[in-house]
Amino acid sequence: MNSAFEVPIVKRLEPASGHVELLVDSPVLAQGKPGQFCHILTPGTLRRPVSFSRLEPSTGLAGLLIQVVGSGTRWLSDRQVGDTLDVLGPLGRGFAPPRLDRPWLLVGGGTGIPPIYAALQAWRDQVSEPVAVVLGAKTRDALIMVKDVRQLGFEAELTTDDGSQGRIGTVMAPVQEWLAAHPRSQVWACGPTPMLRALHGATQGLSGPVQLALEQRMGCGIGACLACVVPAQPESPDGPAYRRVCTDGPVFEREELAF
Amino acid sequence: MDLTVSLPRGLVLKNPIVAASGTFGFGPEYASYVDLNRLGGISVKGISPKPWRGNPPPRVWETPAGLLNSIGLQNPGVDAFITDDIPFLTGVDTAVIANIIGHTVEEYQAVAKRLDAQARIDAFEVNISCPNIKEGGMAFGHDPDQAYQVVRAVRMVTQKPVIVKMSPNLEFPGVIAKAVVDAGADMISAINTLVGLAIDLKARRPALGGGTGGLSGPAIKPVAVRIVYEIASNVAVPVIGMGGVQSAEDVLEFLMAGASAVMVGTITFQHPDRMIRIIDQLPDVLRHYGFSNLNEAVGAALGKAGAVS
């Protein structure tokens, strides 16, 4: 029988202002897949879903990167080494691993960067084709985990909306350039809805799989309450079908979604 | 201590703790977190004749001691429920209550008729109180004549126990309660959620995709206890209480206000196994407050408002 369980925080990092990464000692969570999440108890009435920013099955460490946006994430960001978190997880459908015969394109926007890092960490020994990693954020401060990505041995193309680091603009310019040169790419992406919508459009007609990790305000986290839905196929004149981020996602195939 | 609850038309709950509709899916979702066989019952998610897509997201918003939701009764329809979920529920030893919904009187009746033939369904909960749908739903629960018609239509097609789930968004809950009992309701469950609104400050708009939402959780418990007390004082049928239950003490509070059983919902999102803990603790809590069995506690506080002597 599954249940919530407590995990100790063994390291606390502050990768940027308003961002905290908590590393927890939990072999169970460390067995999770990139793109999966755990649902963390907070003092309010809802748990908070947080995607894995790192997964290290050999050491039993899992990373949870939190951006402070409200009272729940504020409380989480105040947790210290030695505190424990009450978690459900790993939960949800993660990224499918790479196919060997296609170029890779990984795209992370803002707080969507951590799951992309977790994917690179898990798959770094499987590279057999050209790889592009595009990371974007509003400003230089929010461009997190860049050093971590480079330490894994990957080049990262950077963009910021204000041009404070990397190319000015969104991730879409380098994404379009890469896809024009490597149309057989397989794509993994996580980021804000406008970024995913743009990617959804830009990847239409590609032959390779396109996987998008979505975010939504969440209730139970295990598929019962139907709170965390996103517009999905089949779309009809009355509106889209709605599917659950917690159990049908967070990672969806491009064809499953309706933007 | 024997926690068995005997209700009208042979409905027996092994204990008074029932999973509240809309918080527990159709049963399978929580099966790997909760031993369903230990529950008094499960009121499944609201079922309509055809699939309903539900409201646009976001659908939940945290509030102080509460949760505002606007799910909009998304469900796959009665045929999918029979095909996909009844087989699973057949293997579970707990009372299964089918929560039924519709836009019209005929739709409520159609679902009741389809499910009346299902042996695994032990009772119906007629939801005339959901605040999150535009047509039907709560409108039926606010007008005594319409409430009567819906319940009458369901009563005509089933001999199974009929529970009617009442709205808290009423000035005189006792009036609706009497109407649905006259129409043949065997029991009343109360309360559904309270209509609320939250504003997303950053987005400068209502926080929920559906605009208003239904408030649940500890914030509404005193309202729920008051309405259960009023209904229990006004009608003779058993009442199933709910609203913000988090502990065995909360259960006892509802029992003393006149409830024969209690539904538990919002707390399950945080603590999937909380209902089991409540069931385990209830005998000790009853004994602690001087009750030697469950029935003694039911209605123990009714008719006792006034000065403490």
Side-chain angles (χ1 to χ4, degrees):
Chain A
M1 183 107 352
N2 289 328
S3 64
F5 55 97
E6 304 233 320
V7 296
I9 297 167
V10 294
K11 197 167 183 183
R12 182 180 182 279
L13 307 165
E14 294 187 15
S17 125
H19 296 72
V20 167
E21 187 180 18
L22 302 174
L23 301 192
V24 297
D25 180 3
S26 170
V28 173
L29 294 186
Q31 295 294 329
K33 292 196 179 96
Q36 286 192 301
F37 67 100
C38 70
H39 212 21
I40 312 175
L41 190 69
T42 68
T45 51
L46 286 176
R47 289 174 179 264
R48 293 296 188 278
V50 180
S51 292
F52 297 115
S53 54
R54 291 169 209 272
L55 291 162
E56 296 174 6
S58 59
T59 58
L61 283 185
L64 301 163
L65 200 152
I66 295 129
Q67 182 189 16
V68 177
V69 289
S71 60
T73 46
R74 164 75 58 197
W75 182 88
L76 283 172
S77 74
D78 286 341
R79 298 309 94 198
Q80 303 296 327
V81 171
D83 290 344
T84 58
L85 299 174
D86 179 307
V87 299
L88 296 169
L91 298 174
R93 176 168 64 157
F95 289 118
R99 300 181 191 186
L100 294 178
D101 58 346
R102 290 180 180 277
W104 300 14
L105 172 61
L106 296 99
V107 188
T111 45
I113 295 172
I116 295 299
Y117 174 80
L120 291 168
Q121 192 184 31
W123 304 336
R124 67 187 143 182
D125 297 331
Q126 299 175 43
V127 177
S128 58
E129 294 287 324
V131 175
V133 180
V134 181
L135 306 177
K138 280 183 182 158
T139 65
R140 178 195 180 95
D141 281 350
L143 209 46
I144 50 177
M145 300 193 89
V146 172
K147 206 190 279 177
D148 302 85
V149 168
R150 288 181 171 151
Q151 275 173 2
L152 291 176
F154 293 97
E155 296 295 318
E157 173 111 36
L158 307 180
T159 67
T160 50
D161 292 359
D162 64 355
S164 53
Q165 190 172 1
R167 286 168 68 166
I168 187 166
T170 72
V171 295
M172 289 313 292
V175 163
Q176 301 273 23
E177 288 163 19
W178 176 267
L179 290 177
H182 303 85
R184 293 186 65 260
S185 289
Q186 48 195 331
V187 181
W188 300 266
C190 186
T193 303
M195 179 192 111
L196 296 177
R197 183 182 292 119
L199 263 166
H200 191 261
T203 53
Q204 187 170 13
L206 282 194
S207 62
V210 177
Q211 298 177 49
L212 307 174
L214 273 68
E215 234 187 0
Q216 187 54 275
R217 288 188 177 270
M218 193 174 283
C220 67
I222 58 128
C225 75
L226 305 187
C228 62
V229 299
V230 290
Q233 301 294 345
E235 220 174 352
S236 80
D238 299 334
Y242 288 117
R243 296 188 66 186
R244 302 163 294 191
V245 166
C246 67
T247 42
D248 299 318
V251 175
F252 292 88
E253 300 284 341
R254 181 189 179 285
E255 292 72 26
E256 295 176 305
L257 296 167
F259 272 104
Chain B
M1 188 184 288
D2 180 16
L3 294 178
T4 309
V5 181
S6 295
L7 295 167
R9 293 189 191 241
L11 179 61
V12 176
L13 312 179
K14 61 177 78 171
N15 63 63
I17 306 304
V18 178
S21 180
T23 65
F24 211 68
F26 295 101
E29 295 87 345
Y30 270 105
S32 69
Y33 290 90
V34 181
D35 180 357
L36 306 180
N37 301 308
R38 294 211 51 210
L39 300 176
I42 298 170
S43 182
V44 300
K45 186 154 175 55
I47 304 160
S48 52
K50 298 278 179 223
W52 283 9
R53 68 183 70 249
N55 289 341
R59 290 179 170 182
V60 284
W61 192 261
E62 191 178 80
T63 65
L67 174 61
L68 201 59
N69 88 78
S70 172
I71 308 294
L73 296 174
Q74 178 177 343
N75 82 96
V78 68
D79 292 337
F81 171 65
I82 289 171
T83 309
D84 299 343
D85 298 308
I86 294 257
F88 170 85
L89 291 167
T90 300
V92 177
D93 179 23
T94 190
V96 174
I97 301 169
N99 184 286
I100 61 176
I101 55 178
H103 293 308
T104 64
V105 171
E106 291 72 26
E107 287 191 4
Y108 281 95
Q109 189 179 46
V111 182
K113 203 169 175 181
R114 283 281 278 134
L115 292 177
D116 183 60
Q118 296 292 326
R120 182 64 272 242
I121 301 302
D122 297 303
F124 290 104
E125 182 176 44
V126 184
N127 180 355
I128 54 167
S129 45
C130 178
N132 289 327
I133 58 173
K134 287 193 180 76
E135 303 156 45
M138 192 168 74
F140 288 112
H142 278 212
D143 179 288
D145 290 340
Q146 288 196 53
Y148 180 94
Q149 282 172 25
V150 170
V151 177
R152 191 80 208 149
V154 170
R155 178 79 287 163
M156 281 165 61
V157 296
T158 184
Q159 294 301 310
K160 294 183 197 269
V162 172
I163 305 161
V164 176
K165 188 164 183 179
M166 287 208 10
S167 172
N169 307 294
L170 295 166
E171 197 171 355
F172 302 110
V175 174
I176 302 289
K178 280 187 171 144
V180 300
V181 170
D182 287 348
D186 302 301
M187 290 161 264
I188 287 170
S189 58
I191 57 177
N192 210 317
T193 53
L194 284 150
V195 181
L197 181 72
I199 306 289
D200 181 338
L201 302 183
K202 278 185 199 143
R204 301 189 185 191
R205 48 160 291 162
L208 296 174
T212 58
L215 184 64
S216 65
I220 71 164
K221 196 186 75 172
V223 178
V225 172
R226 184 264 299 174
I227 291 175
V228 165
Y229 191 96
E230 279 184 30
I231 295 170
S233 303
N234 276 280
V235 297
V237 302
V239 180
I240 300 173
M242 80 194 92
V245 171
Q246 295 191 302
S247 66
E249 284 81 359
D250 292 340
V251 172
L252 179 57
E253 192 174 357
F254 275 95
L255 294 176
M256 290 173 72
S260 298
V262 166
M263 290 182 174
V264 179
T266 303
I267 192 66
T268 301
F269 297 161
Q270 281 194 306
H271 302 283
D273 60 351
R274 178 61 62 87
M275 282 187 284
I276 302 300
R277 204 171 98 187
I278 291 175
I279 292 164
D280 287 339
Q281 292 179 346
L282 190 56
D284 281 345
V285 168
L286 283 164
R287 273 190 286 269
H288 177 79
Y289 287 95
F291 297 104
S292 56
N293 66 62
L294 185 72
N295 284 333
E296 269 177 36
V298 175
L302 287 175
K304 292 186 184 167
V308 178
S309 57

